């Protein structure tokens, strides 16, 4: 929940003017607030990069749900991706795995690619519960999908204790959890899990992105605070070079 429309458009324009510095094979996705999505789509025009994501979508298809935005509305912008299950949505807005499964199914039915977030809070990590917590988030949501739907999912691992706190998981902690996520998903989806993009999120910045992204099971990043500065966001995306 950052930037007015004017500020948001300026940020997107700055990002667009730097996309030629990003390696060709890097997919950039921007996820502005709902109010900025249509203007963002116009600014992006028919460029290949960046793709456009929403930060949330409804767990109902359509109808009398005042204030909600449905997956089909987003698809009609057009928007290609939607972030679902961000820890802030789980914590402040009571989004459970059950609600998220409905949201994911509706997103997929509208041909949106879900970016599904998982991650543990500090007490869970300190109590060595982190694998168990992430496993249940995967089991109760992604593992309920059929293989064709699962192929379209992007996973984002976000240790909640690292989001917006300046604390980053070490590259080893990120790799360890990403490898766990991939192996867990392979238990249900077999070889398909090898090509599931698994992003790391949590205080990613230009100074630490290269090391985190160099880990074998880290396929990209979900960038919060640093995405509010075009220079930093582009530098992070350029860390894949
Ligand atoms: P951060 O946010 O980069 O500001 O830690 C990450 C996120 O919101 O997923």
């Amino acid at each position: 929940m950052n930037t007015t429309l004017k500020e948001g458009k300026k940020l997107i324009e700055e990002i667009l003017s730097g996309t030629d510095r990003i390696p060709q094979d890097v997919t950039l996705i921007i996820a502005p607030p709902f109010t900025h999505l249509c203007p963002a789509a116009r600014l992006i025009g028919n460029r290949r990069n960046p793709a456009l994501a929403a930060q949330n979508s409804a767990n109902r298809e359509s109808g009398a749900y005042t204030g909600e935005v449905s997956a089909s509305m987003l698809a009609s912008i057009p928007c290609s991706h939607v972030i679902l299950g961000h820890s802030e949505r789980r914590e402040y807005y009571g989004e459970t795995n059950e609600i998220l499964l409905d949201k994911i199914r509706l997103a997929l039915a509208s041909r949106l690619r879900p970016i599904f977030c998982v991650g543990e809070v500090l007490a869970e990590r300190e109590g060595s519960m982190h694998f168990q917590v992430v496993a249940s988030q995967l089991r109760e949501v992604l593992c309920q999908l059929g293989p064709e739907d699962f192929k379209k999912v992007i996973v984002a691992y976000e240790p909640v204790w690292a989001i917006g706190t300046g604390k980053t998981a070490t590259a080893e902690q990120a790799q360890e959890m990403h490898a766990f996520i991939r192996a867990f998903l392979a238990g249900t989806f077999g070889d398909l899990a090898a090509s599931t993009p698994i992003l790391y999120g949590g205080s990613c910045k230009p100074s630490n992105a290269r090391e985190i992204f160099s880990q074998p099971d880290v396929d990209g990043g979900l960038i919060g605070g640093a995405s509010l500065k075009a220079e930093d966001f582009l530098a992070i995306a350029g860390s894949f070079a």
Side-chain angles (χ1 to χ4, degrees):
M1 199 168 70
N2 285 293
T3 76
T4 62
L5 181 55
K6 191 171 167 201
E7 291 161 350
K9 281 167 75 174
K10 182 164 170 275
L11 176 58
I12 294 168
E13 276 163 352
E14 286 168 3
I15 291 170
L16 291 177
S17 69
T19 47
D20 51 341
R21 303 194 328 242
I22 294 166
Q24 283 285 319
D25 55 349
V26 170
T27 302
L28 205 61
I29 305 170
I30 59 169
F34 287 134
T35 44
H36 302 17
L37 285 170
C38 284
R42 279 194 289 275
L43 288 172
I44 294 168
N46 46 25
R47 287 179 170 84
R48 190 187 63 86
N49 248 342
L52 192 58
Q55 298 177 8
N56 183 25
S57 59
N59 60 336
R60 307 290 171 146
E61 201 169 335
S62 68
Y65 300 102
T66 303
E68 288 295 304
V69 176
S70 72
S72 60
M73 291 173 181
L74 294 172
S76 72
I77 288 178
C79 203
S80 53
H81 294 69
V82 60
I83 299 173
L84 291 173
H86 190 283
S87 63
E88 289 149 17
R89 302 294 319 168
R90 292 178 189 262
E91 185 182 348
Y92 306 138
Y93 301 97
E95 294 193 2
T96 59
N97 288 335
E98 200 184 344
I99 292 173
L100 290 168
L101 179 57
D102 289 340
K103 290 189 174 203
I104 283 214
R105 287 197 164 123
L106 287 166
L108 288 162
S110 286
R111 297 178 188 281
L112 293 174
R113 286 193 71 176
I115 302 170
F116 179 64
C117 304
V118 295
E120 79 285 357
V121 300
L122 186 59
E124 290 162 343
R125 177 156 285 262
E126 286 177 345
S128 298
M129 298 283 289
H130 45 298
F131 292 121
Q132 218 170 306
V133 169
V134 170
S136 66
Q137 291 166 339
L138 297 171
R139 188 184 312 109
E140 290 171 31
V141 185
L142 296 189
C143 296
Q144 306 305 312
L145 301 175
E148 282 312 306
D149 278 344
F150 172 70
K151 277 194 218 164
K152 299 179 190 110
V153 172
I154 297 170
V155 177
Y157 169 56
E158 307 195 290
V160 182
W161 46 273
I163 297 179
T165 57
K167 269 193 182 176
T168 323
T170 62
E172 293 71 31
Q173 284 172 322
Q175 168 56 25
E176 183 186 39
M177 182 59 89
H178 282 227
F180 171 81
I181 291 171
R182 204 178 295 287
F184 188 89
L185 292 171
T188 301
F189 297 106
D191 291 349
L192 291 181
S195 41
T196 301
I198 307 179
L199 316 181
Y200 169 80
S203 298
C204 249
K205 24 183 192 269
S207 58
N208 61 22
R210 192 175 297 272
E211 199 195 344
I212 295 173
F213 295 162
S214 68
Q215 301 301 309
D217 286 295
V218 178
D219 303 304
L222 199 155
I223 318 304
S227 70
L228 296 171
K229 270 178 77 183
E231 266 313 299
D232 286 357
F233 186 56
L234 291 165
I236 291 171
S239 303
F240 280 101

